[in-house]
Amino acid sequence: MQLYSTNNHNLRVSFREAVMKGLPDDNGLFMPVEIPALPGRFIRELKKYSFQEISFTVAKNLLQDAIPDPDLKNIIRNAIDFPAPLVRLDDDTYILELFHGPSLAFKDFGARFMAQTMSWLNRGEDQELTILVATSGDTGGAVAAGFHRTPGIRVVILYPSGKVSPLQEKQLTTLGHNITALEMEGTFDDCQALVKAAFLDANVTDKLRLSSANSINIARLIPQSFYYFEAYKQVTPLPSPLVFSVPSGNFGNLTAGLFARKMGLPVHQFVAATNANDVIPEYLETGKYHPRPSVRTLSNAMDVGAPSNFTRMLDLYCSTWNMMREDVVGFSFSDEETREAMQEADKRHNYVLDPHGTVGYLALRKYQKQNVCTGVVLETAHPAKFAEDVEIILGRKIVIPERLATLANKEKTAVRMKPDYASFKEWLLRH
Ligand SMILES: *Cc1c(COP(=O)(O)O)cnc(C)c1O
């Protein structure tokens, strides 16, 4: 597999370089030079295969010879070790549950695959790889769980003290082993600045092998295309054209869906579902792209004002607005609409959606007012992750899964630190 930069189509880097670097030097994003079509027969006969077998075939199709088959199978066996079941709400509405992983959100797919891949790329090195992550709370949990007990890798997570939810903090601070949480007496921006400074400090990079677990790493995107095939397998035979509704923030999930379609999955259209942060629905409507500061909403993992994967979407459509509009339709919704729709889905279908999935559900309903289709909503997180909001909206208690409930009783272990670079560096080099 070779990749180029969205800023330089002549650049060629290997899969190894793209994963280890995360970002090209020119500030573009890595894209596969080729996204080959899978054999039509494989897609017609998906029902014969397990989710892991499907994942392997899709990964192999993109990675080509970057990882030998037995090793790639092993990576998939370890990373994609939980299901993505499809739940039927009515004849033309389905929910794809992507929250059955350790952090109860779809980001587990990307984080686990990236962790396994980095561990494989690092095999044979005698020096440990140190992954530095600054988190405002949301992605840190998936990354921590994804890398937990991965051989040859240690993870150092910096988070702002008192500025992440109690549950998020538990997800960062209770794993132990190769995961260390640094509780910074500062802001998320302080955490990010410290990580950046470490990467630029030759004193540190001479002594430690550093890498990041950046959300735009290609190794996080690739596994997100697997479950579109898994959904297709479960929803066929189809009575009407297939549409995926994707609750979106940075648009990684939707971009992975576009990859799946390029590989031959018969998807009629994608619905880009956003909250009030509607930069992409606006672009699809007007052809004008205006990134702006994000606003806070109920579906806060989608509070993104400058979606990082937009560059990749543009690249897939050769920067042609008209072409993108044929495949992607965008809608945005307020928190008030989200609350009502969550109640409606609960009453009408007896199904509890989380705030993010609810935005996807709303967008599908809006699309279906104009179009006949079989719709699949990507449910990106378990509602219990947002229990406080969901219980107020629905006016009753909801069921908390065992693995979330036990988290509350686990003991927090974190290293408290002032956010100055000297202390951070000293700690990093000493541990
Ligand atoms: C990250 C996240 C999203 C947004 O996904 P993108 O790939 O950034 O568009 C949606 N829902 C939940 C629960 C998330 O954690």
Side-chain angles (χ1 to χ4, degrees):
M1 180 188 198
Q2 290 195 308
L3 299 103
Y4 60 71
S5 163
T6 50
N7 281 344
N8 177 6
H9 283 201
N10 295 319
L11 184 83
R12 289 290 181 276
V13 304
S14 64
F15 178 67
R16 161 185 292 273
E17 189 177 342
V19 173
M20 290 318 232
K21 280 183 81 143
L23 278 171
D25 295 325
D26 62 14
N27 267 322
L29 296 181
F30 286 122
M31 280 290 275
V33 172
E34 280 182 86
I35 303 177
L38 283 154
R41 180 161 173 196
F42 168 72
I43 291 166
R44 280 194 303 278
E45 297 183 349
L46 276 175
K47 281 194 199 294
K48 281 193 188 164
Y49 303 107
S50 69
F51 186 19
Q52 290 190 344
E53 287 166 339
I54 291 171
S55 301
F56 171 77
T57 303
V58 174
K60 170 86 188 163
N61 185 55
L62 285 169
L63 295 179
Q64 303 288 319
D65 297 325
I67 302 179
D69 289 4
D71 296 350
L72 184 56
K73 278 189 182 143
N74 201 31
I75 287 172
I76 300 242
R77 193 176 315 120
N78 291 329
I80 315 297
D81 58 350
F82 54 94
L86 193 74
V87 175
R88 179 184 171 282
L89 295 192
D90 60 34
D91 279 347
D92 46 29
T93 314
Y94 294 82
I95 305 290
L96 183 66
E97 294 184 344
L98 299 175
F99 53 67
H100 293 274
S103 84
L104 293 94
F106 82 95
K107 290 191 176 72
D108 285 326
F109 286 98
R112 293 175 77 72
F113 184 84
M114 177 168 61
Q116 291 296 320
T117 302
M118 282 187 165
S119 173
W120 183 82
L121 291 171
N122 197 47
R123 78 204 179 288
E125 296 281 350
D126 39 13
Q127 202 186 355
E128 200 176 43
L129 189 66
T130 299
I131 310 273
L132 293 183
V133 195
T135 183
S136 53
D138 197 55
T139 51
V143 169
F147 280 92
H148 190 217
R149 295 173 186 268
T150 305
I153 298 186
R154 71 157 174 164
V155 179
V156 179
I157 300 180
L158 290 73
Y159 73 97
S161 180
K163 295 190 179 67
V164 305
S165 77
L167 187 74
Q168 285 171 335
E169 185 171 41
K170 291 281 184 178
Q171 287 187 324
L172 303 175
T173 58
T174 57
L175 288 168
H177 292 274
N178 60 331
I179 314 290
T180 310
L182 302 184
E183 180 177 4
M184 291 292 172
E185 296 166 14
T187 62
F188 169 61
D189 292 332
D190 293 329
C191 297
Q192 234 176 354
L194 291 172
V195 168
K196 271 206 178 122
F199 275 100
L200 294 172
D201 183 344
N203 273 324
V204 173
T205 54
D206 279 353
K207 296 194 183 75
L208 300 175
R209 298 186 58 234
L210 289 187
S211 194
S212 73
N214 211 304
S215 66
I216 39 78
N217 195 302
I218 192 74
R220 276 180 68 162
L221 206 57
I222 288 170
Q224 288 174 206
S225 62
F226 304 164
Y227 44 71
Y228 287 92
F229 290 87
E230 176 69 5
Y232 184 81
K233 167 179 112 180
Q234 296 175 73
V235 76
T236 43
L238 285 163
S240 57
L242 175 62
V243 166
F244 283 100
S245 180
V246 188
S248 295
N250 271 318
F251 281 78
N253 223 354
L254 198 141
T255 303
L258 298 175
F259 279 26
R261 189 172 190 269
K262 248 198 138 146
M263 286 186 265
L265 194 70
V267 182
H268 176 58
Q269 281 187 316
F270 292 89
V271 183
T274 74
N275 55 35
N277 296 281
D278 61 348
V279 172
I280 290 200
E282 180 187 271
Y283 168 78
L284 292 164
E285 177 87 26
T286 64
K288 305 266 184 333
Y289 180 66
H290 291 304
R292 46 186 171 258
S294 63
V295 297
R296 188 151 178 94
T297 74
L298 193 60
S299 46
N300 56 55
M302 301 175 0
D303 294 349
V304 179
S308 50
N309 280 290
F310 181 63
T311 314
R312 283 191 170 120
M313 293 170 71
L314 273 181
D315 196 82
L316 281 169
Y317 289 100
C318 309
S319 302
T320 315
W321 173 61
N322 275 324
M323 276 164 59
M324 197 192 294
R325 271 166 52 112
E326 281 180 22
D327 294 351
V328 188
V329 180
F331 300 121
S332 80
F333 300 92
S334 68
D335 282 356
E336 199 39 52
E337 290 170 303
T338 307
R339 289 190 192 93
E340 281 168 18
M342 195 188 289
Q343 292 164 349
E344 190 253 353
D346 182 39
K347 279 211 192 78
R348 208 165 111 196
H349 302 298
N350 200 18
Y351 190 89
V352 179
L353 286 159
D354 94 294
H356 306 79
T358 307
V359 174
Y361 174 79
L362 268 167
L364 178 64
R365 287 290 182 242
K366 185 157 178 178
Y367 181 90
Q368 285 174 328
K369 289 209 170 108
Q370 311 279 339
N371 307 274
V372 175
C373 75
T374 303
V376 174
V377 177
L378 270 53
E379 175 50 305
T380 47
H382 193 289
K385 273 198 103 161
F386 308 94
E388 278 179 20
D389 288 328
V390 172
E391 289 182 345
I392 290 171
I393 294 166
L394 299 183
R396 62 182 164 80
K397 290 276 174 207
I398 59 169
V399 180
I400 308 291
E402 177 83 22
R403 60 196 189 287
L404 204 58
T406 54
L407 206 56
N409 303 323
K410 287 200 183 148
E411 189 148 359
K412 162 184 162 182
T413 312
V415 181
R416 233 186 137 87
M417 207 178 276
K418 294 248 182 309
D420 69 87
Y421 184 62
S423 327
F424 173 57
K425 177 176 175 174
E426 199 260 338
W427 183 90
L428 204 57
L429 292 177
R430 196 158 39 86
H431 291 84

